Amino acid sequence: MDGEIQSDNNSVIEAEVAEVSTQSSKTQKSEIAAAQKDSDKDVLLGIPFTDEKAKEEGIINA
């Protein structure tokens, strides 16, 4: 019996990674939607979208 694989839980780990990846994707989409909503509101209020605003929203890095 030495050196034989008794069990393989790799499928459980893969499922957990897939779940985390899905949650991360949903979070990113939510954050983008919120930033878009704020941006749309600013446009309606006549507030210019500047590089500084883009940095605050996390759209660009400086």
Side-chain angles (χ1 to χ4, degrees), residues 1-49:
M1 285 282 211
D2 248 2
E4 290 183 21
I5 297 174
Q6 298 296 316
S7 69
D8 182 2
N9 292 327
N10 197 26
S11 61
V12 173
I13 293 170
E14 288 174 357
E16 289 174 359
V17 168
E19 177 64 24
V20 169
S21 178
T22 300
Q23 290 173 351
S24 177
S25 177
K26 288 179 183 178
T27 300
Q28 288 175 342
K29 287 177 183 177
S30 286
E31 289 172 354
I32 291 169
Q36 181 66 48
K37 184 177 177 182
D38 287 344
S39 177
D40 291 347
K41 181 180 72 176
D42 289 348
V43 169
L44 291 173
L45 294 173
I47 300 170
F49 194 80

Side-chain angles (χ1 to χ4, degrees), residues 48-61:
F49 194 80
T50 62
D51 284 348
E52 192 60 38
K53 179 73 173 172
K55 290 175 193 173
E56 289 173 12
E57 297 291 336
I59 295 170
I60 62 172
N61 296 322

